[in-house]
Amino acid sequence: MAHATPVPADALRCLPDDAWDTGPTTHLEHLVEGGHVLEFPHLRFLLAPDERRFLDPAWSDGRSKNLSLRGDGSIRGARGSATDLEALRAMIARYADSAQALVDRLFPHYRGKLRAGNASLRPFQVEGRAASWRKDDTRLHVDAFPSNPTRGVRLLRVFHNLNPDGRARTWRVGEPFGDFVERFAPRLRPALPGSAWLLHTLHVTKSRRTAYDHIMLQLHDLAKADLEYQRGAPQAAVDFAPGTTWVVYSDQVLHAVMGGQHMMEQTFYLDPDQQYAPETSPLHMLERRMGRPLR
Ligand code: SIN
Ligand code: FE
């Protein structure tokens, strides 16, 4: 299918660093805020021999697709003896520390302002995973979650492909956020009066949805439900080889995961007003497009 506007060839920025806490690369706030994916093909997260066993999906409790380390230090989504779970916790915590050292170095402007969220190990194979269309991450989307309003706070994610069998994690990366918003803006509808209050009161949402959250969820759903958009939108296929780390604002960059197994991920939150260029945030872009405050 012909693509109206191709994805810029530099959507990915390839960087040479091979250590988490030191290296040549710094001051990349403008690149990541500009919707680029920062790719580090030589930035490895090494497992100790005794940790390789944790790549087996059998450590999952079967209820969640992630084994997560929460901010309070607890492990979720895993099962095993207390000793095993402590070793798993230490491994994920080491990833969290590595990701923190990396973002502190890459983004000095964010120092002391990024808040670390969960870190997770994702041991399951992407292919063949059944999901409703709304939860289907093989469809291009920006991250927005029904129960977790962000109120405009940014989602900065540090991913790493841990696959031991040479398998890439395969993504598609889509068009710039501004083009995406222009395309779907005519289909956005205001929230029903009182709905944010009701969802919060019924504990469907963990905090009150703002107009921003309502729009981001609609953009997420409109893109995923539109098969013509999925096939025909500007997009590039990207393979992240094992041993590759990549950093991206997943609330801004259209992405889909097409294949792979064994990944680590650390989420950071940043108030958009603490960005290097706050006007490039989805919140500010949507406020300009809609002509009203969305907080
Ligand atoms: C996603 O954020 O859509 C999933 C990314 C992945 O599993 O590689
Ligand atoms: Fe996503």
Side-chain angles (χ1 to χ4, degrees):
M1 174 156 310
H3 294 161
T5 27
V7 167
D10 69 348
L12 255 76
R13 289 299 178 97
C14 200
L15 298 153
D17 305 51
D18 59 8
W20 295 87
D21 52 353
T22 71
T25 306
T26 185
H27 293 288
L28 294 190
E29 294 88 350
H30 60 294
L31 282 184
V32 76
E33 292 180 13
H36 295 280
V37 180
L38 309 182
E39 182 187 14
F40 300 88
H42 310 295
L43 188 47
R44 282 190 170 274
F45 181 67
L46 294 173
L47 299 189
D50 184 48
E51 290 173 334
R52 295 200 189 119
R53 61 202 168 112
F54 293 127
L55 296 179
D56 188 333
W59 293 95
S60 163
D61 68 6
R63 287 193 292 272
S64 165
K65 42 180 196 176
N66 303 342
L67 289 70
S68 316
L69 175 62
R70 300 255 179 114
D72 64 5
S74 64
I75 283 280
R76 288 297 142 90
R79 62 169 176 198
S81 71
T83 322
D84 289 334
L85 291 183
E86 173 49 31
L88 176 62
R89 196 200 61 73
M91 173 184 139
I92 303 178
R94 200 171 71 250
Y95 183 73
D97 290 345
S98 303
Q100 182 75 57
L102 180 67
V103 297
D104 281 345
R105 182 160 69 76
L106 297 181
F107 313 123
H109 187 80
Y110 300 166
R111 259 181 223 158
K113 295 165 188 151
L114 282 174
R115 192 164 56 78
N118 292 350
S120 66
L121 166 63
R122 306 182 182 190
F124 290 101
Q125 173 166 302
V126 171
E127 294 92 333
R129 211 163 54 185
S132 67
W133 66 266
R134 198 174 262 122
K135 289 191 173 163
D136 180 2
D137 288 338
T138 72
R139 302 179 187 215
L140 286 166
H141 64 282
V142 286
D143 284 347
F145 304 102
S147 58
N148 281 326
T150 65
R151 313 163 85 93
V153 169
R154 305 302 315 274
L155 299 174
L156 180 67
R157 300 202 137 131
V158 179
F159 295 100
H160 184 82
N161 183 1
L162 267 184
N163 186 276
D165 310 315
R167 291 192 59 203
R169 195 149 191 111
T170 313
W171 273 30
R172 294 185 290 147
V173 174
E175 65 188 332
F177 187 77
D179 296 355
F180 171 58
V181 169
E182 279 315 310
R183 190 189 298 268
F184 287 104
R187 291 195 244 164
L188 295 172
R189 298 286 169 265
L192 293 176
S195 62
W197 171 83
L198 187 64
L199 289 168
H200 189 208
T201 303
L202 297 175
H203 304 291
V204 176
T205 55
K206 292 179 187 159
S207 62
R208 201 166 165 147
R209 252 184 219 170
T210 61
Y212 171 81
D213 294 304
H214 179 72
I215 289 173
M216 289 295 282
L217 278 173
Q218 284 184 85
L219 290 172
H220 171 277
D221 289 1
L222 284 165
K224 280 191 175 175
D226 187 337
L227 294 180
E228 179 58 29
Y229 181 74
Q230 293 295 325
R231 271 192 302 272
Q235 57 191 279
V238 183
D239 278 354
F240 297 109
T244 301
T245 300
W246 62 106
V247 181
V248 60
Y249 270 121
S250 64
D251 54 349
Q252 170 180 4
V253 173
L254 279 144
H255 62 281
V257 57
M258 308 315 290
Q261 186 175 4
H262 304 115
M263 187 174 72
M264 308 232 32
E265 184 269 336
Q266 167 74 58
T267 299
F268 294 97
Y269 301 102
L270 182 73
D271 186 310
D273 290 326
Q274 305 285 6
Q275 284 183 218
Y276 179 75
E279 67 278 8
T280 63
S281 64
L283 176 65
H284 289 262
M285 286 176 76
L286 286 168
E287 286 187 331
R288 283 197 302 277
R289 178 61 179 77
M290 309 306 279
R292 61 190 167 95
L294 301 174
R295 286 173 240 215

